[in-house]
């Protein structure tokens, strides 16, 4: 990354000429800003970024970022991005996708993207609702939630994206609040650095159809006590007075207060994002009070695109036929005079 | 089998159809392939067709487990694997039962009489032993105790009984080699090479092969062995190739010729999977072969790879094409070059996965939401799958549009000699990738070439040409999202015109046989072999009949009306319920079309075609 010709970019370089058309107040604006600010910090050239999306409010994302981009079809962004990355590993490939796009219609591509561990970054805009189609429940909507398609309350139990991702053997899973641009930028930069599929769940407020869905975590009055920001190697301490922490109580996580019941800082779990075993990461992903933000899991393994390239190189040195002409003329051939 | 007078002491036949059938474990595919290759090496033209059981591991000896391989060899051009079997080699009662209907009275049946045990007879569904009931009296039946003779011949090799019985097929092949005066050396060499580290296997198979040959000679199975003289084929180097391999190789050639890497995004489906199998063997040519999680991911990743600058293809069969249709629309809208290969099989739904049909034509042409034109072309023989895979790539890359290549189970699995081509022999492919240097002023992703209407291809990683594309309607030239009513109409017509313009770069429709006259036979795709054989033989008899066989379906060659107007009657023959017939009626309504259709999962029979055409001609 010591390219002396590397242009110096600002966020403006990543703003396209298209008018942004999300509803005023939508968290998508914040994420867009975070990306536009994070991209110049990634040490890459502008033309190396590709944003791919499916369908939904958040899937308009590529139109607004002045890089290469494709607004795909519903649910297929992960699959399209896979083709882009396999075609050219030098690119930094991003997927912008919603909870309906990635967890309902595109669920299959989502889990297989993660399983294969291709070096792609997927931003999951989770607003627990269908926005673009105007307010139906989504696969992350809560039980009982009243929506246009569940007027008497939702009776389909939700997915927890973190659980689904880690259950699909996610190597990198992070969660960020929709309004926190500082945390978003930091996590996006880490996601880009991470070699492998990075899933970043954004708790994205939809002001129109599901306003306040995450207030219980993000409201100014409660957020310090309702969010646990985890950092690798640091104790899981949170709270307005930094006196709360997480301990393991049997097979469950428990919130404790430091200084009460003889609990000291040493008793608090230290976050190990690089632990291969998923048990604790799954517990953290599932925890709802406090909700865990930051990078929950980051375990590097060989990526699929890397293995693909290695296989091609290996075959280049081993294969019997060095050219297609040789292949065509190989085996049992015969002359007609 | 047509007999010929010959001055040679051996009797000469013009062509012969042999079908080897047995249990799936009996090695019938290998036996058939050996006979084919040996015959090809003698200079015969050949066409082959394998017949696998639909059950992967059906119980031994049952009719579900019967596997077969048919080969048609001749001293003149051979275009089909043949309708009627001259020699049936049946390794057990079930194989006889399943295949007996393909054999006409008077023809030869060779059976392993050892296999006709009461248990096997019952398993095959016979009430009594067909060898003694007299039901085979109208055939020339050669009963040979193949199992015991094989065991006897190789008893000193040191294999156990089960392993010994694996050489039964070579004993049978030895017999057939004698009957048709074929040398054994090719097959002997094959075993020596293939099993170089298993000397016992080599020895057993060679001994069984020779024993079969000697057995036939000693017993004089036939009054005299037959000869099939070399065919007059164009000079050159040949190999035998099946349609799926030829398809895969056509893409390899196109990738090399265009200077682009090949990307394949595919999901396994019968009968297309062998294209994937073939391409994953050749990653050294820069092939990126991706087995996706489903058909949709197969094509979606292909679109992604195309966006990123590869020669990107996806392979499937009918049900898979249905799943890919939304994504195909995205490729139409984003005007990205991809090739979708549909190796057709019987439908609808899961239909007849292992049987052939031409019933996806309308799906290929129209099976998408919105006005969504794509180029549709069809290969017509196993060997020209190579040319049409190459052509599909060329058209996609030069016209920036998806191309659907139709083949079918019949030509995909069928084999024929292929005069080996070199990449240098193929036409140039000029793809449309650009850099900032090619652009004056602002980059316009939807600007167009004035001849082809194709847009430029600016791939991610190219400095200065960053742009966004997508499935929403595009404004002309800028490519920005546009909901403008007039723009939509304009763009719809533009996308159609772009595909229509391809007609400028494709060859004219050729007519085989009579160039004008009473009856024009019209077909498309994989039926060429049987249709040509029928029309050609009638034309040689002096009948006023011609064949117009289509490889280019959308757009069609420019001279179609010209060709059609030279004949009094037109009949459209297809392995479906009349799909091309429908298309022609809509496109060229001034002609009257008869139709002839077969929807049995089987190819046309040449005889049936001839009967039908004669009926029409006699009815003037
Ligand atoms: S509908 Fe909701 S998610 Fe969509 S743009 Fe408006 S606020 Fe954002």
């Amino acid at each position: 990354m010591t390219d002396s010709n590397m242009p110096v970019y600002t966020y403006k370089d990543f703003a396209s000429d298209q008018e942004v058309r999300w509803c005023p107040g939508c968290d998508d604006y914040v994420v867009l800003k975070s990306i536009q600010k994070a991209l110049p910090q990634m040490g890459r050239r502008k033309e190396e970024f590709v944003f791919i999306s499916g369908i939904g409010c958040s899937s308009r994302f590529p139109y607004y970022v002045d890089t290469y981009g494709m607004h795909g079809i519903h649910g297929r962004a992960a699959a399209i991005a896979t083709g882009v990355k396999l075609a050219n590993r030098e690119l930094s490939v991003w997927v912008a996708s919603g909870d309906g796009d990635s967890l309902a219609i595109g669920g299959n591509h989502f889990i297989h993207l993660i399983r294969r561990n291709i070096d792609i970054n997927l931003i999951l805009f989770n607003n627990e609702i269908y926005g673009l189609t105007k307010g139906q429940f989504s696969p992350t909507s809560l039980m009982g939630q009243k929506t246009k398609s569940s007027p008497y309350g939702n009776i389909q139990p939700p997915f927890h994206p973190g659980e689904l991702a880690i259950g699909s053997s996610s190597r990198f899973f992070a969660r960020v609040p929709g309004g926190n641009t500082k945390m978003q930028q930091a996590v996006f930069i880490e996601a880009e650095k991470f070699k492998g599929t990075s899933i970043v769940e954004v708790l994205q407020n939809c002001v129109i159809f599901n306003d306040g869905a995450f207030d219980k975590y993000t409201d100014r009055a409660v957020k310090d006590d309702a969010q646990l920001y985890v950092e690798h190697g640091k104790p899981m301490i949170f709270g307005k007075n930094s006196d709360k922490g997480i301990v393991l109580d049997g097979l469950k996580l428990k919130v404790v207060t430091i200084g009460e019941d003889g609990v000291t800082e040493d008793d608090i779990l230290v976050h190990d994002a690089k632990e291969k075993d998923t048990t604790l990461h799954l517990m953290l992903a599932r925890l709802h009070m406090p909700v865990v933000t930051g990078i929950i899991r980051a375990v590097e393994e060989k990526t699929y695109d890397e293995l693909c390239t290695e296989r091609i190189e290996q075959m280049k040195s081993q294969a019997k036929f060095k050219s297609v002409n040789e292949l065509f003329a190989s085996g049992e051939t015969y002359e007609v005079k | 089998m047509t007999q010929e007078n010959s001055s040679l002491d051996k009797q000469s036949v013009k062509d012969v159809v042999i079908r080897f059938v047995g249990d799936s474990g009996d090695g019938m595919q290998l036996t058939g392939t050996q006979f084919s290759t040996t015959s090809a090496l003698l200079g015969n033209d050949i066409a082959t067709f394998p017949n696998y059981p639909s059950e992967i591991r059906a119980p031994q000896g049952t009719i579900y487990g019967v596997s077969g391989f048919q080969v048609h060899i001749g001293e003149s051009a051979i275009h089909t694997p043949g309708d009627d079997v001259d020699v049936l080699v049946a390794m057990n009662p079930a194989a006889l039962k399943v295949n007996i209907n393909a054999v006409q009275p008077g023809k030869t049946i060779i059976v392993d009489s050892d296999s006709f045990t009461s248990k096997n007879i019952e398993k095959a569904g016979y009430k009594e032993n067909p060898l003694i009931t007299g039901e085979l009296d109208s055939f020339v039946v050669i009963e040979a105790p193949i199992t015991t003779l094989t065991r006897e011949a190789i008893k000193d090799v040191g294999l156990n009984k089960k392993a010994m019985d694996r050489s039964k097929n070579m004993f049978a092949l030895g017999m057939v080699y004698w009957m048709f005066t074929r040398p054994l050396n090719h097959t002997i060499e094959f075993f020596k090479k293939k099993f170089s580290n298993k000397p016992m296997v080599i020895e057993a198979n060679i001994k069984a092969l020779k024993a079969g040959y000697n057995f036939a000679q000693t017993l004089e199975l036939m009054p005299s062995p037959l000869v099939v003289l070399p065919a007059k084929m164009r000079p050159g180097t040949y190999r035998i190739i099946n349609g799926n391999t030829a398809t895969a190789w056509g893409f390899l050639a196109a990738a090399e010729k265009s200077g682009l890497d090949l990307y394949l995004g595919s999901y396994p489906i019968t009968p297309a999977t062998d294209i994937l199998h073939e391409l994953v063997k050749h990653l050294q040519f820069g092939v990126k072969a991706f087995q996706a999680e489903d058909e949709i991911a197969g094509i979606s990743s292909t679109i992604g790879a195309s966006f990123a600058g590869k020669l990107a293809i996806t392979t499937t069969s009918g049900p898979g094409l249905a799943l890919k249709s939304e994504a195909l629309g995205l490729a139409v809208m984003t005007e990205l070059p991809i090739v979708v290969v549909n190796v057709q099989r019987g439908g609808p739904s899961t239909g007849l996965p292992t049987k052939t049909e031409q019933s996806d034509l309308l799906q290929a042409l129209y099976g998408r939401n919105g006005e969504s034109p794509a180029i549709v072309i069809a290969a017509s023989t196993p060997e020209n799958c190579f040319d049409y895979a190459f052509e599909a790539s060329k058209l996609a890359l030069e016209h920036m549009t998806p191309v659907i290549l139709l083949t079918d189970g019949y030509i995909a699995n069928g084999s024929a000699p292929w005069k080996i081509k070199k990449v240098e022999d193929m036409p140039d492919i000029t793809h449309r990738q650009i850099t900032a240097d090619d652009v004056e002023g602002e980059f316009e992703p939807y600007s167009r070439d004035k001849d082809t209407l194709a847009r430029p291809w600016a791939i991610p990683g190219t400095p200065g040409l960053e742009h966004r594309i997508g499935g929403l309607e595009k404004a002309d030239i800028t490519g920005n999202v546009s909901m403008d009513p007039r723009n939509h109409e304009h763009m719809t017509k533009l996308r159609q015109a772009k595909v229509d313009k391809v007609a400028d770069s494709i060859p004219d429709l050729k007519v085989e046989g009579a160039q004008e006259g009473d009856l024009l036979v019209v077909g498309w795709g994989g039926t060429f072999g049987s249709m040509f054989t029928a029309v050609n033989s009638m034309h040689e008899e002096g009948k006023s009949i011609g064949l117009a066989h289509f490889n280019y379906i959308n757009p069609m060659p420019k001279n179609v009306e010209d060709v059609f107007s030279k004949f009094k009657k037109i009949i459209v023959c297809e392995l479906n319920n009349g799909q091309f017939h429908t298309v022609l009626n809509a496109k060229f309504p001034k002609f009257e079309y008869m139709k002839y259709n077969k929807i049995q999962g089987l190819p046309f029979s040449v005889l049936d075609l001839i009967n039908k055409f004669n009926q029409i001609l006699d009815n003037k």
Side-chain angles (χ1 to χ4, degrees):
Chain A
M1 293 286 153
T2 47
D3 182 350
S4 56
N5 294 323
M6 175 67 72
V8 178
Y9 299 112
T10 71
Y11 79 92
K12 284 194 189 121
D13 291 303
F14 291 98
S16 79
D17 59 354
Q18 297 296 296
E19 189 193 333
V20 185
R21 298 226 205 121
W22 289 307
C23 307
C26 178
D27 273 349
D28 290 1
Y29 284 95
V30 181
V31 181
L32 176 62
K33 210 14 144 293
S34 301
I35 277 290
Q36 287 166 339
K37 286 191 165 165
L39 296 185
Q41 304 176 52
M42 291 179 185
R44 277 180 173 273
R45 291 169 172 274
K46 185 174 160 171
E47 63 269 17
E48 293 171 12
F49 291 106
V50 185
F51 279 80
I52 308 286
S53 66
I55 296 293
C57 291
S58 56
S59 288
R60 289 167 177 263
F61 204 87
Y63 289 120
Y64 307 141
V65 192
D66 191 19
T67 62
Y68 284 94
M70 192 194 299
H71 181 205
I73 43 176
H74 205 9
R76 317 305 168 202
I80 296 170
T82 297
V84 173
K85 185 70 184 184
L86 291 181
N88 184 355
R89 280 189 69 204
E90 302 305 312
L91 301 171
S92 172
V93 181
W94 293 75
V95 173
S97 176
D99 41 318
D101 198 53
S102 263
L103 306 184
I105 192 166
N108 200 28
H109 311 308
F110 179 76
I111 59 175
H112 286 279
L113 171 77
I114 295 170
R115 173 178 70 84
R116 286 189 195 102
N117 194 31
I118 305 180
D119 190 10
I120 285 173
N121 314 302
L122 185 147
I123 307 174
L124 181 68
F125 293 74
N126 181 12
N127 56 11
E128 299 186 350
I129 195 83
Y130 282 85
L132 193 67
T133 50
K134 300 193 171 54
Q136 300 75 28
F137 65 86
S138 89
T140 53
S141 293
L142 302 179
M143 282 294 269
Q145 192 170 322
K146 287 196 172 136
T147 72
K148 287 245 183 74
S149 55
S150 59
Y152 307 109
N154 177 28
I155 51 171
Q156 295 190 11
F159 268 142
H160 303 287
E163 201 174 14
L164 182 65
I166 296 172
S168 310
S169 56
S170 175
R171 282 76 169 176
F172 184 107
F173 179 78
R175 187 186 286 133
V176 293
N180 188 338
T181 178
K182 224 180 99 205
M183 198 196 299
Q184 286 171 16
Q185 287 177 51
V187 167
F188 290 154
I189 290 170
E190 287 309 310
E192 211 283 331
K193 271 194 217 149
F194 183 84
K195 282 200 176 38
T197 306
S198 310
I199 306 292
V200 182
E201 180 193 6
V202 179
L203 303 177
Q204 179 240 318
N205 190 36
C206 166
V207 288
I208 305 297
F209 297 110
N210 199 15
D211 195 20
F214 304 109
D215 280 0
K216 54 184 183 280
Y217 307 132
T218 57
D219 202 89
R220 212 169 271 277
V222 300
K223 72 171 202 270
D224 290 336
D225 286 332
Q227 280 184 42
L228 163 66
Y229 177 63
V230 290
E231 284 177 280
H232 176 70
K234 298 212 175 141
M236 298 181 197
I237 293 176
F238 66 107
K240 213 175 272 165
N241 308 317
S242 298
D243 59 348
K244 291 195 170 138
I246 303 290
V247 294
L248 195 58
D249 177 22
L251 289 176
K252 288 195 177 109
L253 296 181
K254 192 170 125 188
V255 178
V256 294
T257 308
I258 299 168
E260 277 179 20
D261 302 326
V263 174
T264 69
E265 219 181 297
D266 291 346
D267 297 322
I268 306 300
L269 283 174
V270 172
H271 182 45
D272 183 0
K274 296 180 181 169
E275 169 58 53
K276 278 205 166 122
D277 187 279
T278 55
T279 313
L280 203 55
H281 296 157
L282 269 170
M283 286 177 169
L284 290 171
R286 264 199 311 249
L287 201 64
H288 56 88
M289 197 46 80
V291 70
V292 178
T293 58
I295 298 165
I296 293 175
R297 182 173 172 80
V299 180
E300 277 198 7
E301 271 172 42
K302 252 198 190 158
T303 66
Y304 175 72
D305 44 298
E306 194 177 353
L307 289 166
C308 280
T309 309
E310 281 179 15
R311 181 57 50 81
I312 290 179
E313 290 312 313
Q314 177 199 357
M315 286 194 58
K316 272 185 182 156
S317 60
Q318 287 174 5
K320 203 153 122 209
F321 311 116
K322 303 288 179 208
S323 74
V324 293
N325 281 347
E326 247 179 69
L327 168 69
F328 297 169
S330 68
E332 280 168 333
T333 63
Y334 55 97
E335 288 300 319
V336 173
K337 298 250 161 53
Chain B
M1 183 157 54
T2 336
Q3 302 265 338
E4 240 179 27
N5 291 327
S6 167
S7 54
L8 298 164
D9 59 338
K10 288 175 181 133
Q11 235 192 333
S12 179
V13 288
K14 266 191 174 162
D15 69 320
V16 60
V17 177
I18 302 172
R19 191 185 282 187
F20 298 93
V21 290
D23 219 58
S24 35
D26 282 341
M28 293 296 99
Q29 308 300 323
L30 172 69
T31 313
T33 315
Q34 283 302 310
F35 189 85
S36 315
T37 318
T38 293
S39 299
L41 291 170
L42 287 179
N44 295 135
D45 196 4
I46 67 157
T48 77
F49 194 73
N51 204 332
Y52 305 106
S54 34
E55 257 62 45
I56 304 290
R57 285 275 180 273
Q60 238 189 354
T62 64
I63 55 173
Y64 308 106
V66 174
S67 162
F69 190 98
Q70 181 164 319
V71 50
H72 187 187
I73 62 170
E75 61 159 57
S76 58
I78 295 291
H79 298 282
T80 78
D83 298 336
D84 296 323
V85 173
D86 296 307
V87 179
L88 179 72
V89 181
M91 301 302 284
N92 67 17
L96 177 70
K97 172 107 184 192
V98 171
N99 289 282
I100 189 74
N101 286 339
V103 191
Q104 297 295 322
K107 305 292 184 176
T108 303
I109 298 174
I110 300 175
V111 294
D112 176 8
S113 52
D114 290 332
S115 72
F116 282 69
T117 61
S118 50
K119 200 166 142 210
N120 279 345
I121 289 165
E122 195 191 311
K123 266 200 224 166
Y126 282 115
K127 289 217 172 63
E128 279 173 79
N129 187 347
L131 300 179
I132 53 178
T133 55
E135 63 195 271
L136 303 176
D137 282 357
S138 59
F139 305 99
V140 180
V141 180
I142 300 171
E143 292 179 39
I146 293 176
T147 307
T148 45
L149 290 175
T150 304
R151 286 183 190 162
E152 182 60 29
I154 63 177
K155 63 173 192 285
D156 298 334
V157 177
L159 294 168
N160 63 29
K161 239 188 209 161
K162 209 169 159 199
M164 278 158 83
D165 286 351
R166 285 205 199 103
S167 297
K168 279 189 305 192
N169 58 339
M170 286 303 114
F171 190 95
L173 181 63
M175 290 169 64
V176 182
Y177 274 168
W178 179 82
M179 290 168 69
F180 294 95
T181 336
R182 317 271 101 171
L184 308 183
N185 58 339
H186 166 74
T187 300
I188 291 173
E189 286 312 310
F190 166 83
F191 277 106
K192 284 188 179 160
K193 234 163 130 184
K194 174 110 190 186
F195 296 98
S196 54
N197 53 353
K198 291 185 183 153
M200 292 213 287
V201 175
I202 300 174
E203 195 190 339
N205 280 296
I206 294 175
K207 278 193 163 154
L209 182 73
K210 286 184 175 165
Y213 191 92
N214 295 337
F215 170 78
Q217 188 167 36
T218 320
L219 262 76
E220 293 198 349
L221 284 189
M222 298 174 112
S224 70
L226 300 172
V227 173
V228 183
L229 294 173
K232 288 162 215 75
M233 297 180 60
R234 278 190 300 147
T237 310
Y238 286 77
R239 66 176 309 130
I240 298 166
I241 199 164
N242 70 40
N244 273 340
T245 305
T247 304
W249 289 10
F251 288 121
L252 288 177
E256 173 123 352
K257 197 79 194 186
S258 62
L260 302 175
D261 284 342
L262 182 64
Y263 177 92
L264 167 69
S266 187
Y267 186 75
I269 184 168
T270 304
T273 321
D274 282 340
I275 304 174
L276 169 67
H277 294 168
E278 179 60 25
L279 286 174
V280 294
K281 284 193 243 163
H282 306 301
L283 305 184
Q284 72 270 23
F285 303 134
V287 177
K288 313 244 162 117
F290 173 63
Q291 182 176 319
E293 59 272 25
D294 58 28
E295 293 281 357
I296 298 171
I299 187 170
S300 298
S301 73
T302 298
I303 291 170
S306 167
F307 181 50
K310 302 290 154 186
L311 167 54
I313 66 165
T314 181
T315 50
T316 192
S317 185
L321 185 65
L323 285 163
K324 291 180 197 296
S325 47
E326 187 198 11
L328 246 169
L330 177 65
V332 169
M333 198 63 144
T334 50
E335 305 190 35
L336 284 170
I338 65 166
V339 179
V340 182
V341 182
N342 177 2
V343 185
Q344 298 168 96
R345 65 190 219 187
S349 187
T350 310
L352 311 169
T354 59
K355 303 287 172 194
T356 198
E357 205 162 274
Q358 296 184 299
S359 48
D360 294 339
L361 178 68
L362 293 181
Q363 181 181 211
L365 286 168
Y366 307 118
R368 289 173 289 286
N369 61 309
E371 297 285 343
S372 185
I375 298 174
V376 179
I377 65 176
S380 46
T381 65
E383 69 276 18
N384 80 13
C385 285
F386 178 89
D387 303 285
Y388 286 99
F390 186 93
E391 178 74 348
S393 311
K394 179 173 160 71
L395 291 174
L397 292 171
E398 293 184 347
H399 295 264
M400 291 294 283
T401 178
V403 176
I404 299 175
L405 169 63
L406 297 174
T407 71
D408 58 56
Y410 182 59
I411 59 173
N413 286 319
S415 294
W418 176 55
K419 190 160 173 291
I420 297 172
K421 289 191 173 161
K422 292 202 172 92
V423 176
E424 306 83 273
D425 306 335
M426 304 306 291
D428 284 333
I429 296 178
T430 316
H431 64 70
R432 299 188 44 79
Q433 286 185 11
I434 57 164
T435 65
D437 294 343
D438 303 313
V439 178
E440 279 172 44
E442 189 88 338
F443 172 52
E444 288 161 338
Y446 276 64
S447 58
R448 295 186 186 273
D449 179 271
K450 62 182 188 334
D451 295 327
T452 61
L453 300 178
R455 72 177 191 88
W457 193 12
I459 67 170
T462 314
L465 301 184
E466 293 84 0
H467 67 287
R468 274 68 55 195
I469 55 175
L472 287 170
E473 181 60 286
K474 301 275 160 285
D476 198 6
I477 305 180
T478 63
N480 288 333
V481 173
S482 166
M483 296 291 130
D484 179 70
R486 258 179 294 210
N487 174 71
H488 176 51
E489 184 158 327
H490 169 71
M491 290 303 284
T492 300
K493 292 192 167 154
L494 193 57
R495 286 186 286 266
Q496 182 65 51
K498 189 177 73 163
V499 170
D500 292 344
K501 281 254 178 199
V502 173
D504 294 341
S505 28
I506 62 174
D508 272 351
L509 180 64
K510 260 188 17 197
V511 181
E512 310 278 356
Q515 298 300 302
E516 57 184 352
D518 293 339
L519 179 61
L520 180 69
V521 175
V522 172
W524 66 274
T527 50
F528 175 80
S530 38
M531 292 181 57
F532 177 78
T533 308
V535 170
N536 195 42
S537 75
M538 289 176 70
H539 182 242
E540 277 177 358
E541 283 169 18
K543 301 267 165 71
S544 177
I545 185 169
L547 169 69
H549 203 85
F550 284 73
N551 294 104
Y552 294 87
I553 294 169
N554 192 38
M556 288 188 196
K558 288 174 163 177
N559 65 329
V560 173
E561 279 192 86
D562 226 39
V563 168
F564 285 7
S565 60
K566 294 205 171 100
F567 288 84
K568 291 189 191 128
K569 286 179 180 170
I570 302 173
I571 183 162
V572 186
C573 309
E574 305 171 76
L575 300 175
N576 59 35
N577 207 13
Q579 299 194 6
F580 196 45
H581 182 261
T582 304
V583 173
L584 290 174
N585 262 311
K587 276 225 150 91
F588 308 106
K590 69 175 187 192
F591 302 104
E592 241 181 74
Y593 307 93
M594 292 176 282
K595 59 178 185 173
Y596 180 68
N597 302 96
K598 181 172 180 179
I599 320 157
Q600 302 171 8
L602 295 168
F604 283 129
S605 124
V606 174
L607 198 66
D608 288 352
L609 289 173
I610 292 177
N611 287 342
K612 178 74 190 174
F613 302 154
N614 270 329
Q615 204 183 359
I616 296 168
L617 287 171
D618 294 345
N619 243 329
K620 288 194 248 226

